[in-house]
Amino acid sequence: MRLTLEHTDERLTRRTGLILVNRFGDKIKLPSRINRAFRKPGSNRGLEASEFVLTIAEMLIDGATCLEDIRLFEDDEAYKEMAEIKHLPTSDALGDWLRRHGGTDGEKRLWTVISSLIQTMTGGNGLTLDIDGTLIEAEKGDAEMTYKGFRGYHPLLGGSTELGLFTGSMFQQGNLSPQEGLVGFVQQCFVNLPGTFSTIRSDSAGYNHHLINHCFQSGLRFSITADHDVSVMGSIRRIPEIEWNKGKATDGSAAGYEVAETVHTMDKTLHSFRLVIKRTPRSSNQEDLFDGPYKYWIIATNIPQMEKDAQAILDFHNGRGEFEKMIGEIKHHYGLDHLPCGQFSANSLYFTIGILAFTLVQLLKRHYFGPEWKKKSVRSLRYRWLHIPSRIVSHARSMIAKVAISAATFTSLLEIYLRILLFPAPG
């Protein structure tokens, strides 16, 4: 059958479900939270900070990849009418605002907003704070060379896999080590969500006496990937062969590695701690000059042996994979693997707005979509709920969105929408 394309002046949108995010933001008074955190505009005609921040956040949630994508929002008259928006900032205005308010100060201001949300709408204690860094390639004017050999940035992230939320970030140049300022970063994560964490879990960036001593002094437990330095490998070689046990897979069956543990200390640590070691045989032609016939994975921990034996520590530390998935989602599904500006300060604030967007979606799923949506990505949310077509019809004092989906899906969408409108704000 022949297909003909025709233009229509009807008010149509593919972003019907994005109004759920918009109304959720209104429900939790997000615009006023943002405006209180930032300086007021310089003139009466200037836009409030919330208009810039929430515009970028909605763009990232919708799947935008650059500031110029604001034109697609500006052209979507139907969605603007639903969201009661007359005009949106231009891409140039967004870039100018990011440059004016970015940097460490802007990052801190926006984190006061994010922390107020997660403190109000989440709870728990005895949870694990995961810490990890990630590299973002950026051929920008002020980006520095990373250890991977490309120019870019090296933000540090902290968060909770139990809550599915980030609790801190520190945007850094690509040439900075994640070890720098790590104790201060951990303390800031605790301030952002106080009374929640009892354990710190980190990759080898956390294997230094500053963080380990901080944990001992603060009564915190830690699980940190250890370096293969001379002292550590010497401790491992002194473990008798009889103390190496067969490792176990998650189903309890025998695995192809062995597990053992020993006690170790660093030159400047206050106390000794456990080293839990996983070793896997190398093939005969792969023997390493330093490690010998085995590959080693080593974890430093002060978690008592009676609470978690060596195998349990390995399984617990493997849980870092969930946090790496969270970082992968915010980078690749929210478009933060590409940063739009040529200045470090502007990109710092843009990245933090991405964390706000991620937080909004996670809290929305947590409180209104049910437990089955807790671990689903924003791509699934876009496909199922956000990118829904509709036609806008206006009558006297009302506006109707005629939604083009199945009756069953429409019923579920309407239930979520009414819960957001009518139920008390979570907290």
Side-chain angles (χ1 to χ4, degrees), residues 255-341:
Y257 62 85
E258 295 176 304
V259 181
E261 69 172 90
T262 187
V263 176
H264 187 67
T265 187
M266 300 169 74
D267 284 343
K268 297 181 180 179
T269 52
L270 300 173
H271 303 281
S272 59
F273 47 86
R274 298 166 66 195
L275 285 183
V276 173
I277 308 101
K278 168 186 173 182
R279 73 177 187 183
T280 307
R282 299 176 185 269
S283 60
S284 57
N285 60 345
Q286 284 186 325
E287 185 163 325
D288 185 79
L289 182 63
F290 186 56
D291 287 355
Y294 295 100
K295 294 179 183 178
Y296 292 99
W297 189 48
I298 312 160
I299 302 163
T301 183
N302 63 347
I303 299 174
Q305 207 274 343
M306 65 180 67
E307 183 179 338
K308 290 185 186 294
D309 63 14
Q311 182 66 57
I313 291 292
L314 287 179
D315 296 339
F316 172 73
H317 202 70
N318 274 330
R320 289 189 65 253
E322 287 298 312
F323 189 61
E324 291 169 355
K325 287 180 183 177
M326 284 174 56
I327 294 176
E329 177 171 0
I330 199 169
K331 275 183 65 177
H332 304 300
H333 296 180
Y334 286 83
L336 295 183
D337 50 356
H338 167 79
L339 299 175
C341 301

XYZ file of all heavy atoms in Angstrom, residues 255-341:
711
model
N 33.939 -23.826 42.756
C 34.370 -22.884 41.717
C 35.828 -23.138 41.366
O 36.542 -23.843 42.079
C 34.175 -21.443 42.201
N 36.280 -22.532 40.293
C 37.633 -22.778 39.809
C 38.680 -21.873 40.421
O 39.602 -21.430 39.729
N 38.550 -21.573 41.687
C 39.548 -20.751 42.373
C 39.667 -21.199 43.819
O 38.855 -22.001 44.310
C 39.180 -19.265 42.297
C 37.876 -18.895 42.973
C 37.835 -18.621 44.345
C 36.685 -18.796 42.254
C 36.646 -18.276 44.973
C 35.498 -18.455 42.868
C 35.479 -18.186 44.229
O 34.301 -17.844 44.842
N 40.679 -20.690 44.504
C 40.896 -20.995 45.918
C 40.855 -19.709 46.750
O 41.125 -18.626 46.243
C 42.246 -21.698 46.108
C 42.318 -23.069 45.460
C 43.698 -23.687 45.589
O 44.664 -23.036 45.149
O 43.805 -24.799 46.138
N 40.529 -19.880 48.036
C 40.358 -18.737 48.932
C 41.177 -18.969 50.195
O 41.243 -20.084 50.724
C 38.879 -18.549 49.320
C 38.719 -17.332 50.229
C 38.009 -18.415 48.097
N 41.794 -17.901 50.680
C 42.489 -17.952 51.970
C 42.502 -16.544 52.537
O 42.090 -15.579 51.873
C 43.912 -18.480 51.819
N 42.968 -16.415 53.774
C 43.091 -15.081 54.349
C 44.264 -15.025 55.315
O 44.762 -16.050 55.793
C 41.800 -14.661 55.050
C 41.458 -15.413 56.313
C 40.255 -14.771 57.010
O 39.115 -15.165 56.707
O 40.488 -13.864 57.855
N 44.710 -13.790 55.566
C 45.794 -13.557 56.509
C 45.584 -12.195 57.145
O 44.641 -11.476 56.794
C 47.166 -13.633 55.808
O 48.203 -13.558 56.778
C 47.336 -12.514 54.803
N 46.445 -11.836 58.075
C 46.375 -10.531 58.730
C 47.504 -9.660 58.187
O 48.615 -10.133 57.947
C 46.489 -10.685 60.261
C 46.508 -9.313 60.940
C 45.344 -11.532 60.789
N 47.211 -8.391 57.994
C 48.181 -7.496 57.374
C 48.090 -6.119 58.015
O 47.097 -5.777 58.654
C 47.903 -7.390 55.871
C 48.931 -6.634 55.106
N 50.222 -7.075 54.931
C 48.863 -5.436 54.448
C 50.904 -6.203 54.201
N 50.101 -5.197 53.915
N 49.120 -5.330 57.855
C 49.105 -3.933 58.284
C 49.935 -3.116 57.311
O 50.818 -3.643 56.625
C 49.655 -3.777 59.712
O 49.479 -2.423 60.144
C 51.132 -4.128 59.780
N 49.637 -1.814 57.221
C 50.430 -0.890 56.413
C 51.288 -0.045 57.348
O 51.036 0.026 58.554
C 49.499 0.000 55.576
C 48.613 -0.779 54.621
S 47.301 0.230 53.880
C 48.240 1.200 52.716
N 52.289 0.614 56.802
C 53.232 1.368 57.621
C 52.540 2.376 58.527
O 52.915 2.551 59.680
C 54.234 2.102 56.722
C 55.284 1.150 56.156
O 55.407 0.035 56.711
O 55.940 1.508 55.175
N 51.505 3.060 58.007
C 50.908 4.158 58.761
C 49.483 3.880 59.224
O 48.781 4.793 59.664
C 50.927 5.436 57.912
C 52.336 5.903 57.569
C 52.300 7.177 56.743
C 53.713 7.640 56.388
N 53.701 8.876 55.569
N 49.032 2.629 59.152
C 47.688 2.329 59.652
C 47.723 2.123 61.156
O 48.711 1.655 61.724
C 47.096 1.080 58.970
O 48.024 -0.006 59.062
C 46.784 1.351 57.518
N 46.607 2.446 61.800
C 46.522 2.367 63.260
C 46.371 0.933 63.745
O 46.782 0.609 64.861
C 45.330 3.192 63.741
C 45.360 4.687 63.395
C 44.051 5.342 63.782
C 46.529 5.368 64.082
N 45.746 0.085 62.928
C 45.470 -1.294 63.337
C 45.725 -2.230 62.155
O 45.734 -1.811 60.998
C 44.012 -1.454 63.797
C 43.627 -0.527 64.910
N 43.972 -0.754 66.225
C 42.924 0.637 64.891
C 43.497 0.224 66.977
N 42.859 1.085 66.197
N 45.899 -3.497 62.466
C 45.985 -4.510 61.416
C 44.578 -4.832 60.916
O 43.573 -4.493 61.544
C 46.661 -5.769 61.960
O 45.932 -6.295 63.050
N 44.511 -5.515 59.784
C 43.217 -5.862 59.187
C 43.372 -7.164 58.413
O 44.485 -7.654 58.184
C 42.723 -4.738 58.272
C 43.765 -4.214 57.313
C 43.985 -4.824 56.083
C 44.543 -3.112 57.656
C 44.952 -4.350 55.209
C 45.517 -2.620 56.785
C 45.720 -3.236 55.563
N 42.251 -7.716 58.006
C 42.248 -8.979 57.260
C 42.569 -8.725 55.782
O 42.137 -7.725 55.208
C 40.885 -9.661 57.344
C 40.450 -10.048 58.726
C 38.966 -10.401 58.756
N 38.662 -11.608 57.992
C 37.420 -11.953 57.622
N 36.408 -11.175 57.920
N 37.218 -13.070 56.947
N 43.322 -9.652 55.193
C 43.435 -9.735 53.746
C 42.759 -11.021 53.303
O 43.146 -12.112 53.724
C 44.901 -9.771 53.303
C 45.720 -8.481 53.336
C 47.121 -8.751 52.794
C 45.050 -7.361 52.551
N 41.733 -10.889 52.496
C 41.046 -12.050 51.935
C 41.504 -12.186 50.485
O 41.413 -11.231 49.703
C 39.520 -11.890 52.027
C 38.818 -13.021 51.290
C 39.088 -11.850 53.491
N 41.996 -13.375 50.129
C 42.632 -13.552 48.821
C 41.921 -14.625 48.017
O 41.623 -15.709 48.516
C 44.123 -13.947 48.978
C 44.838 -12.973 49.906
C 44.800 -13.995 47.621
C 45.034 -13.499 51.314
N 41.683 -14.282 46.766
C 41.177 -15.254 45.793
C 42.298 -15.495 44.785
O 42.839 -14.544 44.217
C 39.936 -14.695 45.095
C 39.479 -15.479 43.876
C 38.325 -14.745 43.185
C 37.941 -15.395 41.871
N 36.849 -14.654 41.186
N 42.666 -16.761 44.575
C 43.691 -17.040 43.575
C 43.163 -18.030 42.538
O 42.468 -18.993 42.862
C 44.971 -17.563 44.225
C 44.926 -18.973 44.750
C 46.290 -19.392 45.310
N 46.287 -20.817 45.669
C 47.312 -21.440 46.240
N 48.415 -20.763 46.534
N 47.258 -22.740 46.516
N 43.519 -17.756 41.300
C 43.096 -18.585 40.170
C 44.339 -19.030 39.417
O 45.208 -18.205 39.108
C 42.182 -17.792 39.228
O 41.111 -17.215 39.978
C 41.611 -18.685 38.135
N 44.487 -20.321 39.120
C 45.693 -20.793 38.421
C 45.813 -20.192 37.022
O 44.828 -20.077 36.294
C 45.498 -22.312 38.338
C 44.363 -22.635 39.237
C 43.550 -21.421 39.411
N 47.019 -19.808 36.659
C 47.297 -19.398 35.289
C 47.620 -20.636 34.461
O 48.012 -21.662 35.000
C 48.486 -18.440 35.236
C 48.316 -17.139 36.003
C 49.602 -16.328 35.945
N 49.520 -15.143 36.770
C 49.094 -13.956 36.348
N 48.704 -13.827 35.096
N 49.063 -12.919 37.162
N 47.490 -20.520 33.157
C 47.945 -21.614 32.303
C 49.472 -21.662 32.352
O 50.131 -20.681 32.696
C 47.446 -21.416 30.870
O 47.940 -20.208 30.347
N 50.051 -22.778 32.003
C 51.488 -23.014 32.189
C 52.360 -21.995 31.460
O 53.475 -21.703 31.882
C 51.845 -24.423 31.711
O 51.456 -24.593 30.354
N 51.883 -21.447 30.347
C 52.697 -20.497 29.581
C 52.394 -19.037 29.935
O 52.807 -18.125 29.257
C 52.488 -20.704 28.079
C 51.043 -20.500 27.663
O 50.152 -20.474 28.508
N 50.822 -20.376 26.359
N 51.623 -18.805 31.024
C 51.249 -17.444 31.396
C 51.815 -17.035 32.754
O 51.375 -16.054 33.320
C 49.717 -17.314 31.454
C 49.042 -17.244 30.098
C 47.566 -16.974 30.262
O 46.938 -17.443 31.202
N 47.003 -16.225 29.337
N 52.756 -17.752 33.294
C 53.251 -17.448 34.636
C 53.784 -16.016 34.693
O 54.540 -15.581 33.836
C 54.338 -18.440 35.046
C 54.791 -18.240 36.483
C 55.549 -19.448 37.023
O 55.187 -20.589 36.653
O 56.486 -19.232 37.814
N 53.349 -15.300 35.746
C 53.700 -13.899 35.911
C 54.995 -13.770 36.710
O 55.203 -14.485 37.692
C 52.563 -13.160 36.629
C 52.817 -11.671 36.732
O 52.598 -10.968 35.736
O 53.241 -11.220 37.816
N 55.864 -12.827 36.312
C 57.141 -12.641 36.976
C 56.968 -12.263 38.447
O 57.741 -12.678 39.302
C 57.949 -11.564 36.239
C 59.358 -11.261 36.771
C 60.236 -12.506 36.634
C 59.965 -10.083 36.038
N 55.903 -11.491 38.749
C 55.702 -10.998 40.111
C 54.748 -11.900 40.910
O 55.048 -12.311 42.020
C 55.148 -9.570 40.055
C 55.024 -8.907 41.399
C 56.121 -8.789 42.244
C 53.807 -8.398 41.825
C 56.011 -8.169 43.478
C 53.684 -7.773 43.055
C 54.787 -7.666 43.886
N 53.601 -12.259 40.314
C 52.595 -13.038 41.042
C 52.806 -14.541 40.950
O 52.160 -15.303 41.677
C 51.196 -12.701 40.511
C 50.731 -11.328 40.956
O 51.449 -10.703 41.750
O 49.661 -10.877 40.509
N 53.660 -15.000 40.021
C 53.906 -16.429 39.902
C 52.825 -17.145 39.122
O 52.249 -16.584 38.187
N 52.500 -18.389 39.513
C 51.576 -19.203 38.703
C 50.101 -18.895 38.948
O 49.234 -19.603 38.435
C 51.902 -20.630 39.158
C 52.363 -20.477 40.573
C 53.087 -19.159 40.629
N 49.778 -17.874 39.739
C 48.377 -17.577 40.059
C 48.039 -16.122 39.740
O 48.888 -15.229 39.771
C 48.092 -17.812 41.548
C 48.227 -19.251 41.992
C 49.386 -19.685 42.635
C 47.204 -20.166 41.784
C 49.514 -20.996 43.050
C 47.316 -21.473 42.195
C 48.477 -21.891 42.826
O 48.599 -23.200 43.239
N 46.756 -15.905 39.450
C 46.186 -14.560 39.434
C 45.550 -14.324 40.807
O 44.845 -15.198 41.325
C 45.106 -14.432 38.354
C 45.614 -14.557 36.934
C 44.441 -14.437 35.968
C 44.905 -14.621 34.520
N 43.753 -14.560 33.585
N 45.773 -13.155 41.377
C 45.266 -12.863 42.716
C 44.268 -11.698 42.684
O 44.467 -10.714 41.967
C 46.413 -12.502 43.662
C 47.345 -13.654 43.969
C 48.554 -13.787 43.284
C 47.026 -14.600 44.935
C 49.422 -14.836 43.557
C 47.883 -15.653 45.221
C 49.071 -15.764 44.528
O 49.923 -16.807 44.811
N 43.229 -11.838 43.474
C 42.292 -10.744 43.742
C 42.245 -10.610 45.252
O 41.911 -11.567 45.962
C 40.918 -11.052 43.160
C 39.964 -9.904 43.215
C 40.197 -8.620 42.832
C 38.605 -9.946 43.681
N 39.068 -7.846 43.021
C 38.076 -8.624 43.534
C 37.791 -10.951 44.180
C 36.765 -8.312 43.897
C 36.486 -10.634 44.534
C 35.983 -9.320 44.388
N 42.603 -9.443 45.778
C 42.861 -9.283 47.212
C 41.947 -8.208 47.781
O 41.813 -7.115 47.205
C 44.339 -8.894 47.449
C 45.262 -9.824 46.655
C 44.675 -8.945 48.934
C 46.651 -9.253 46.443
N 41.354 -8.503 48.917
C 40.434 -7.562 49.572
C 40.926 -7.294 50.987
O 41.185 -8.233 51.757
C 39.001 -8.134 49.626
C 38.503 -8.444 48.213
C 38.061 -7.162 50.335
C 37.305 -9.356 48.180
N 41.056 -6.022 51.321
C 41.373 -5.612 52.692
C 40.066 -5.300 53.412
O 39.220 -4.585 52.868
C 42.270 -4.376 52.682
N 39.899 -5.834 54.613
C 38.643 -5.617 55.345
C 38.868 -5.707 56.843
O 39.785 -6.394 57.309
C 37.572 -6.642 54.919
O 36.338 -6.366 55.597
C 37.998 -8.063 55.248
N 38.031 -4.997 57.584
C 38.020 -5.121 59.046
C 36.712 -5.731 59.537
O 36.407 -5.684 60.726
C 38.252 -3.760 59.714
C 37.134 -2.765 59.405
O 36.303 -2.996 58.509
N 37.107 -1.656 60.122
N 35.917 -6.282 58.614
C 34.688 -6.971 59.010
C 35.078 -8.247 59.752
O 35.891 -9.028 59.255
C 33.815 -7.304 57.780
C 33.411 -6.004 57.065
C 32.586 -8.104 58.179
C 32.664 -6.217 55.762
N 34.533 -8.499 60.948
C 34.959 -9.652 61.748
C 34.755 -10.976 61.017
O 33.769 -11.157 60.291
C 34.077 -9.574 62.996
C 33.650 -8.148 63.082
C 33.535 -7.668 61.665
N 35.684 -11.897 61.221
C 35.614 -13.202 60.574
C 34.380 -13.975 61.000
O 33.806 -14.726 60.218
C 36.888 -13.994 60.895
C 37.271 -15.033 59.863
C 36.563 -16.370 60.083
O 36.036 -16.617 61.167
N 36.543 -17.211 59.053
N 33.946 -13.777 62.248
C 32.758 -14.494 62.734
C 31.489 -13.993 62.042
O 30.487 -14.693 61.998
C 32.620 -14.334 64.250
C 32.365 -12.907 64.721
S 32.222 -12.783 66.526
C 33.911 -13.202 67.011
N 31.532 -12.791 61.492
C 30.379 -12.255 60.765
C 30.398 -12.666 59.294
O 29.382 -13.062 58.739
C 30.359 -10.741 60.889
C 29.164 -10.098 60.229
C 29.164 -8.591 60.381
O 29.823 -8.086 61.307
O 28.505 -7.922 59.562
N 31.560 -12.538 58.664
C 31.701 -12.947 57.261
C 33.027 -13.671 57.109
O 34.093 -13.083 57.352
C 31.673 -11.729 56.317
C 30.316 -11.031 56.200
C 30.394 -9.928 55.150
C 29.112 -9.111 55.110
N 27.958 -9.902 54.659
N 32.970 -14.945 56.724
C 34.211 -15.665 56.474
C 34.783 -15.213 55.131
O 34.236 -14.325 54.460
C 33.989 -17.177 56.523
C 33.023 -17.675 55.442
O 32.722 -16.917 54.491
O 32.555 -18.823 55.559
N 35.907 -15.801 54.730
C 36.596 -15.348 53.526
C 35.701 -15.414 52.289
O 35.661 -14.484 51.478
C 37.861 -16.181 53.312
N 34.948 -16.506 52.135
C 34.063 -16.639 50.974
C 32.972 -15.573 50.998
O 32.639 -14.969 49.967
C 33.431 -18.037 50.958
C 32.533 -18.295 49.758
C 33.298 -18.312 48.440
O 34.226 -19.086 48.275
N 32.913 -17.455 47.501
N 32.420 -15.305 52.181
C 31.362 -14.294 52.290
C 31.889 -12.905 51.968
O 31.172 -12.081 51.378
C 30.757 -14.323 53.683
N 33.151 -12.622 52.334
C 33.750 -11.327 51.990
C 33.886 -11.186 50.480
O 33.594 -10.129 49.902
C 35.127 -11.169 52.672
C 34.963 -11.012 54.182
C 35.895 -9.981 52.087
C 34.304 -9.735 54.624
N 34.330 -12.255 49.817
C 34.428 -12.216 48.355
C 33.068 -11.925 47.730
O 32.946 -11.083 46.826
C 34.956 -13.544 47.818
C 36.436 -13.867 48.035
C 36.748 -15.235 47.458
C 37.327 -12.809 47.389
N 32.042 -12.633 48.190
C 30.704 -12.439 47.636
C 30.203 -11.021 47.906
O 29.583 -10.390 47.040
C 29.738 -13.464 48.233
C 30.098 -14.898 47.856
O 30.812 -15.077 46.852
O 29.667 -15.827 48.569
N 30.472 -10.524 49.115
C 30.043 -9.167 49.460
C 30.746 -8.133 48.583
O 30.117 -7.212 48.056
C 30.337 -8.893 50.938
C 30.107 -7.463 51.354
C 28.828 -6.959 51.484
C 31.189 -6.613 51.603
C 28.612 -5.634 51.860
C 30.991 -5.294 51.977
C 29.688 -4.804 52.103
N 32.036 -8.298 48.399
C 32.793 -7.321 47.611
C 32.387 -7.365 46.139
O 32.447 -6.342 45.440
C 34.294 -7.577 47.761
C 35.134 -6.380 47.451
N 35.181 -5.266 48.253
C 35.964 -6.123 46.402
C 36.000 -4.367 47.725
N 36.490 -4.865 46.603
N 31.968 -8.531 45.677
C 31.469 -8.643 44.303
C 30.241 -7.762 44.078
O 29.908 -7.436 42.933
C 31.127 -10.100 43.965
C 32.338 -10.867 43.458
O 33.228 -10.287 42.852
N 32.363 -12.160 43.716
N 29.561 -7.391 45.167
C 28.394 -6.532 45.058
C 28.713 -5.162 44.484
O 27.793 -4.409 44.121
N 30.009 -4.819 44.401
C 30.395 -3.568 43.760
C 29.926 -3.511 42.304
O 29.764 -2.427 41.741
C 31.914 -3.378 43.790
C 32.492 -3.077 45.160
C 33.964 -2.686 45.064
N 34.124 -1.434 44.347
C 34.599 -1.322 43.118
N 34.988 -2.395 42.447
N 34.710 -0.148 42.538
N 29.694 -4.675 41.728
C 29.224 -4.701 40.345
C 27.910 -3.963 40.159
O 27.673 -3.359 39.104
N 27.030 -4.005 41.178
C 25.760 -3.292 41.088
C 25.991 -1.785 41.029
O 25.278 -1.062 40.329
C 24.882 -3.643 42.289
C 24.292 -5.041 42.247
C 23.374 -5.239 41.045
O 22.515 -4.382 40.799
O 23.551 -6.260 40.342
N 26.987 -1.306 41.781
C 27.266 0.129 41.753
C 27.871 0.525 40.405
O 27.579 1.605 39.879
C 28.213 0.501 42.894
C 28.384 1.992 43.072
C 27.302 2.792 43.383
C 29.627 2.590 42.915
C 27.444 4.167 43.532
C 29.789 3.960 43.068
C 28.687 4.748 43.381
N 28.703 -0.339 39.851
C 29.252 -0.063 38.525
C 28.149 0.016 37.478
O 28.223 0.816 36.537
C 30.281 -1.133 38.162
C 31.559 -1.046 39.003
C 32.458 -2.251 38.839
O 32.058 -3.207 38.140
O 33.565 -2.249 39.414
N 27.083 -0.790 37.650
C 25.933 -0.702 36.737
C 25.233 0.641 36.876
O 24.778 1.224 35.887
C 24.951 -1.837 37.023
C 25.413 -3.204 36.580
C 24.356 -4.252 36.910
C 24.840 -5.644 36.541
N 23.834 -6.685 36.922
N 25.111 1.144 38.123
C 24.500 2.457 38.332
C 25.300 3.538 37.618
O 24.729 4.425 36.973
C 24.423 2.767 39.832
C 23.335 2.025 40.575
S 23.407 2.302 42.380
C 23.321 4.085 42.509
N 26.628 3.466 37.724
C 27.471 4.451 37.049
C 27.321 4.316 35.534
O 27.241 5.314 34.812
C 28.942 4.289 37.478
C 29.108 4.637 38.963
C 29.857 5.162 36.623
C 30.506 4.408 39.505
N 27.265 3.084 35.049
C 27.070 2.869 33.615
C 25.757 3.450 33.127
O 25.692 4.035 32.033
N 24.704 3.314 33.942
C 23.405 3.861 33.525
C 23.446 5.381 33.460
O 22.992 5.989 32.486
C 22.286 3.427 34.474
C 20.958 4.065 34.084
C 19.756 3.529 34.840
O 19.920 2.646 35.689
O 18.648 4.024 34.574
N 23.988 6.016 34.494
C 23.968 7.487 34.485
C 24.860 8.038 33.376
O 24.575 9.099 32.813
C 24.358 8.044 35.872
C 23.889 9.498 35.989
C 25.851 7.932 36.122
C 23.977 10.067 37.369
N 25.922 7.335 33.035
C 26.786 7.803 31.950
C 26.147 7.605 30.588
O 26.081 8.533 29.778
C 28.132 7.070 31.985
C 29.163 7.677 32.907
C 30.484 6.936 32.816
C 31.134 7.063 31.456
N 32.459 6.401 31.419
N 25.678 6.401 30.332
C 25.287 6.045 28.974
C 23.796 6.222 28.706
O 23.409 6.502 27.568
C 25.708 4.608 28.674
C 27.176 4.370 28.873
N 28.137 5.061 28.174
C 27.850 3.549 29.720
C 29.344 4.662 28.560
N 29.195 3.748 29.496
N 22.940 6.069 29.711
C 21.500 6.205 29.482
C 21.011 7.631 29.716
O 19.939 8.004 29.259
C 20.717 5.237 30.370
C 21.006 3.802 30.057
N 20.408 2.752 30.731
C 21.834 3.228 29.147
C 20.866 1.608 30.252
N 21.723 1.873 29.294
N 21.784 8.424 30.476
C 21.447 9.840 30.668
C 22.361 10.748 29.847
O 22.342 11.965 30.024
C 21.543 10.218 32.150
C 20.409 9.682 32.983
C 20.437 8.369 33.462
C 19.300 10.462 33.301
C 19.397 7.867 34.226
C 18.260 9.968 34.066
C 18.311 8.673 34.525
O 17.274 8.180 35.283
N 23.162 10.175 28.994
C 23.976 10.959 28.075
C 25.144 11.689 28.696
O 25.675 12.635 28.107
N 25.607 11.253 29.890
C 26.710 11.947 30.535
C 28.076 11.433 30.085
O 29.106 11.835 30.638
C 26.587 11.848 32.059
C 25.362 12.546 32.650
C 25.369 12.444 34.165
C 25.282 14.001 32.223
N 28.099 10.542 29.097
C 29.376 10.167 28.489
C 29.826 11.239 27.500
O 30.920 11.170 26.951
C 29.286 8.809 27.803
C 28.092 8.698 26.864
O 27.284 9.643 26.793
O 27.947 7.650 26.214
N 28.958 12.235 27.295
C 29.311 13.394 26.458
C 28.915 14.641 27.231
O 27.777 14.767 27.683
C 28.568 13.351 25.128
C 28.644 14.647 24.373
N 29.754 15.013 23.647
C 27.759 15.674 24.249
C 29.543 16.199 23.094
N 28.339 16.628 23.447
N 29.852 15.561 27.411
C 29.581 16.803 28.125
C 29.639 17.962 27.144
O 30.519 18.016 26.295
C 30.568 16.982 29.274
C 30.494 15.864 30.339
C 31.585 16.034 31.386
C 29.125 15.847 31.000
N 28.703 18.913 27.248
C 28.461 19.831 26.126
C 29.331 21.081 26.074
O 29.382 21.729 25.034
C 26.997 20.243 26.347
C 26.822 20.203 27.841
C 27.683 19.058 28.311
N 29.974 21.440 27.166
C 30.634 22.747 27.240
C 32.148 22.629 27.116
O 32.718 21.559 27.315
C 30.262 23.451 28.541
S 28.472 23.717 28.727
